[in-house]
Structure formats: C-alpha cells, structure tokens
C-alpha cells in the first residue's frame, strides 16, 4: 500500500549535517513537534495509520527512518491506542546527537 507523500525540497537538509551538534540542533529538535502541528505534517501519517489499522487486523509495525525528535512515533503510538489498535514503532536516525535527544524526550 502506498500513500501520497508531499514533495520535499531536493537540497541538502541542515539537520542531516553531522557537524551540527550543538544547542542549535537541540533547539530545532524541541521545535519540531510544534512545526509538525503547524505545517500539517502529522495529518497524512494519521490518515495512513487509520487505514493500516483497518486493513491489517488492528496490529501494525512501523519503521520511522530519520525520526529526529521522535515526536511522530510517540504520536503514532497514542493514536493507535486511542483507536483500539496495536502498533510497534522502531525509530531511527543516523545522527547520534539526535538519537540521544530523542531517547531523553520519550523517557
């Protein structure tokens, strides 16, 4: 099953630069949930999750590649619980600073 994904810029993303590992990165990671709400980044995922839960017997496994602050996996788990479904999310990111931030933010 494939979902329509909004087009993204093709240029290099600032957050993919492993040399950026200071307070600026952490401030940006703290802002991501607000930006995702404001820009509508959660909507397509929530819609897709609803469809997956309906079509897959209420149990879903998801891999989030480039998870950043892990705000999306946390929301996915909450949405699934409220919908009466079961979801397992594996969140990953290549930047160790980002991974450490995500771990702290979900504990």
């Amino acid at each position: 099953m494939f979902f329509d994904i909004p087009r993204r810029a093709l240029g290099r993303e600032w957050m993919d630069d492993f040399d950026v590992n200071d307070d600026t990165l952490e401030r940006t990671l703290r802002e991501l949930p607000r930006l995702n709400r404001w820009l509508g980044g959660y909507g397509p995922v929530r819609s897709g999750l609803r469809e997956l839960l309906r079509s897959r017997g209420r149990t879903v496994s998801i891999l989030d590649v480039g998870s950043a602050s892990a705000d999306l996996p946390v929301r996915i788990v909450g949405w699934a619980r409220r919908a009466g479904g079961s979801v397992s999310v594996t969140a990953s990111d290549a930047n160790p600073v980002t991974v450490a931030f995500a771990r702290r933010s979900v504990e």
Side-chain angles (χ1 to χ4, degrees):
M1 177 180 305
F2 294 94
F3 300 98
D4 289 330
I5 299 173
R7 290 183 182 246
R8 292 184 54 139
L10 299 178
R12 185 169 179 191
E13 286 194 29
W14 171 82
M15 288 180 61
D16 291 338
D17 183 347
F18 287 4
D19 290 331
V20 178
N21 57 14
D22 58 7
D23 291 339
T24 304
L25 177 58
E26 292 216 6
R27 279 195 312 272
T28 302
L29 291 168
R30 280 193 298 274
E31 288 294 318
L32 279 178
R34 185 176 67 84
L35 291 170
N36 280 329
R37 280 190 311 272
W38 186 59
L39 297 174
Y42 295 131
V45 176
R46 187 174 185 178
S47 175
L49 179 62
R50 264 191 238 117
E51 181 61 32
L52 284 172
L53 289 171
R54 259 183 275 167
S55 67
R56 306 262 182 190
R58 313 293 288 171
T59 301
V60 178
S61 295
I62 297 172
L63 171 62
D64 182 16
V65 177
S67 191
S69 67
D71 60 306
L72 184 56
V74 168
R75 284 184 175 265
I76 288 170
V77 169
W79 293 332
R81 284 182 182 157
R82 286 190 294 280
S86 174
V87 66
S88 170
V89 181
T90 300
S92 68
D93 202 284
N95 188 329
V97 173
T98 301
V99 170
F101 177 90
R103 281 188 177 134
R104 287 191 311 272
S105 70
V106 298
E107 291 178 343

